[in-house]
Amino acid sequence: MLAILLTLAWGLEVLKLIGLMALLMKLLAPALRLAGIRGKTGQFTAVGLFLGISYGGGLLIREARSGDLPPRQVFISCVFMGFAHSIIEDTLLVMALGADVLGVLVGRLVFAVAATALIAQLIRSIPDETFFAWVFPRGNRHGVAGL
């Protein structure tokens, strides 16, 4: 487990150092905005998308506990990662079965963006009390410190 986590952490640092993470963020930013994911939350979502939901989700939870991220953005980011996680591994797997890479990759991303955008619209339309009672039933109702 330690080896996997260290490899992921080093992998993320290498991606940042060579500028690939910035390029991936530029490419992914329009899709994330369409999905309702904005600001700093997009970086953690991209990490979860490319380096694994466990790692990206862990970073997202750590930042959410610090109080720096809006709770609705944390929720929307988690929804998107749920729809689009393992995008690289799953695409490679179905390619091995003969599927078209663009069809699978684009299809999954389009579905993830569209479904997350619909959920984001729903989340924005409900009052704060309802949102916190539904999403964080046992936590702090005015922040995500109780995650």
Side-chain angles (χ1 to χ4, degrees), residues 64-82:
R65 284 187 174 161
S66 74
D68 290 340
L69 301 176
R72 291 177 196 250
Q73 283 294 300
V74 172
F75 181 78
I76 294 167
S77 178
C78 289
V79 167
F80 183 79
M81 281 193 284

Side-chain angles (χ1 to χ4, degrees), residues 49-52 85-94 108:
L49 187 64
F50 295 115
L51 296 179
H85 76 283
S86 299
I87 198 150
I88 295 169
E89 298 91 339
D90 287 352
T91 302
L92 291 173
L93 178 65
V94 295
R108 278 198 66 195

Side-chain angles (χ1 to χ4, degrees), residues 9 12 34 39 44 53 65 94 139 144:
L12 180 61
L34 280 174
F44 300 112
I53 195 169
R65 284 187 174 161
V94 295
V144 291

Side-chain angles (χ1 to χ4, degrees), residues 63-145:
E63 287 297 311
R65 284 187 174 161
S66 74
D68 290 340
L69 301 176
R72 291 177 196 250
Q73 283 294 300
V74 172
F75 181 78
I76 294 167
S77 178
C78 289
V79 167
F80 183 79
M81 281 193 284
F83 284 132
H85 76 283
S86 299
I87 198 150
I88 295 169
E89 298 91 339
D90 287 352
T91 302
L92 291 173
L93 178 65
V94 295
M95 277 177 44
L97 298 172
D100 177 50
V101 65
L102 280 177
V104 173
L105 192 59
V106 172
R108 278 198 66 195
L109 282 175
V110 166
F111 172 78
V113 168
T116 304
L118 287 172
I119 292 169
Q121 283 298 104
L122 173 70
I123 293 300
R124 281 191 208 100
S125 70
I126 61 175
D128 283 345
E129 280 301 313
T130 305
F131 172 75
F132 284 106
W134 179 54
V135 177
F136 306 112
R138 286 180 256 150
N140 181 350
R141 305 226 181 211
H142 301 290
V144 291

Side-chain angles (χ1 to χ4, degrees), residues 7 24-25 33 44 60 62-63 75-76:
T7 302
L24 291 172
M25 281 306 301
R33 274 193 306 276
F44 300 112
L60 188 65
R62 185 186 72 202
E63 287 297 311
F75 181 78
I76 294 167

